[in-house]
Amino acid sequence: MGYAVVLGEALIDLLEDDRDGAQIYRQAIGGAPLNVAVGAARLGGRVEYSGTLSTDVLGERIAAFLRTAGVGDRGVRRVDVPTTLAVTTFEGAEPAFTFYGEPPSYSLLTPADLDRSVLAGADVVYTGSICLLREPFRSAAREAWATAGGVRVFDPNVRPKLLPDAAALSALRDLVEEFFATADLVKLSSADAQLLYGDSDPAAAADRIRALGAGAVVVTCGAKGAHVAAADGSALQPAPSVAAIDATGAGDSVMGALVSRLLSDGLPDGLAGWQRHVSFALAVAGLVCERPGGATAMPSPAEVEARWGKI
């Protein structure tokens, strides 16, 4: 088995919670790419994380967490700015995020910080999410994408509160479509698709993204499962039934599980293979939804098998 390189943000989530009748915020290490890196590593994949972490105490906690999770840190650069905070509120199990910290501690990776030999040797390279909204990270991601020697996977992970107007949304659409066009896999949520294209039909969004050049597209649809589109067809892959208490990180766990399967089993050659990968990923996400969210909810293979059996 080879290794994956995951590029993107790491930050601190402050998760809305209730304790003894009082509203509190529970601290959790997060950021979609960090969750993907940890999720893939917990499932047995070899993963190198590439991004910027603050030199403050919260940055130290994130760095220690990555080491404990078995994620490599050769691509990490430390920066002397406060760690970005994402304040998370809930309507039911679904989270909404508001971000604090300027400049964002996660956005300062430059093209000069990249280890091109590591990128060229990776079996999987992932990027995406809110870090692409800022320079110099955006330039670093473009350079990493061009250098990648293996499977390229992308997740736009759209956050509406970071898009102040229609012009910002249009600019983001142009940016993510640049990555869609050369991706082997695009994973996005139905909410992402709705924001990007104003269409609630995940099949239409998947067809549009595939027409741009993406090899395969997975659109997660919450409890319904995921729409999977490949060159030889498409299908709705059902999700297992769970009693969800927190959906934070569930979409990231889908991507982490897909990365782990790409490392262990390789790139599928058609829809049936992608359905097998996605079935496993949805089982992982179901288990994550049954736990308090964030990177700490990412399961091990033994935990997945204990909950769902062999997949």
Side-chain angles (χ1 to χ4, degrees), residues 16-277:
E16 188 177 59
D17 206 348
D18 183 88
R19 181 172 296 173
D20 299 326
Q23 188 175 80
I24 65 166
Y25 284 91
R26 175 171 53 86
Q27 185 183 121
I29 291 168
L34 178 141
N35 289 341
V36 170
V38 171
R42 286 255 176 90
L43 290 167
R46 182 181 162 205
V47 183
E48 292 287 338
Y49 173 71
S50 185
T52 47
L53 301 179
S54 174
T55 55
D56 66 14
V57 64
L58 296 177
E60 289 294 336
R61 290 176 185 174
I62 295 171
F65 180 80
L66 286 169
R67 289 192 295 270
T68 300
V71 177
D73 61 0
R74 283 189 291 174
V76 171
R77 182 168 73 86
R78 306 303 293 271
V79 293
D80 191 22
V81 298
T83 296
T84 299
L85 304 178
V87 176
T88 309
T89 54
F90 292 90
E91 293 183 7
E94 291 295 327
F97 301 90
T98 304
F99 298 90
Y100 295 89
E102 186 63 38
S105 59
Y106 58 74
S107 68
L108 302 177
L109 193 75
T110 72
D113 295 322
L114 299 173
D115 188 326
R116 286 160 179 77
S117 64
V118 171
L119 287 162
D123 289 66
V124 178
V125 173
Y126 158 99
T127 195
S129 199
I130 64 173
C131 48
L132 291 175
L133 295 173
R134 303 294 292 260
E135 290 287 6
F137 186 92
R138 183 163 55 240
S139 293
R142 283 175 166 142
E143 178 71 19
W145 198 252
T147 306
V151 176
R152 288 181 285 192
V153 296
F154 185 82
D155 183 349
N157 195 39
V158 182
R159 295 300 183 212
K161 290 188 177 181
L162 295 177
L163 302 171
D165 51 35
L169 176 59
S170 179
L172 175 65
R173 187 184 304 112
D174 290 344
L175 174 63
V176 299
E177 288 185 344
E178 173 189 331
F179 286 88
F180 290 169
T182 52
D184 295 290
L185 169 65
V186 173
K187 195 285 294 180
L188 70 164
S189 70
S190 57
D192 292 337
Q194 173 73 42
L195 284 162
L196 288 170
Y197 298 122
D199 190 336
S200 60
D201 180 9
D207 288 346
R208 179 168 179 163
I209 294 167
R210 285 209 69 255
L212 291 168
V217 179
V218 176
V219 185
T220 56
C221 305
K224 294 179 181 179
H227 180 81
V228 187
D232 58 339
S234 62
L236 179 66
Q237 190 67 28
S241 179
V242 299
I245 63 168
D246 186 351
T248 306
D252 305 332
S253 73
V254 169
M255 182 60 97
L258 290 172
V259 169
S260 75
R261 279 293 165 99
L262 288 169
L263 288 173
S264 63
D265 297 353
L267 190 68
D269 59 6
L271 177 63
W274 280 112
Q275 286 181 280
R276 288 190 293 272
H277 282 2

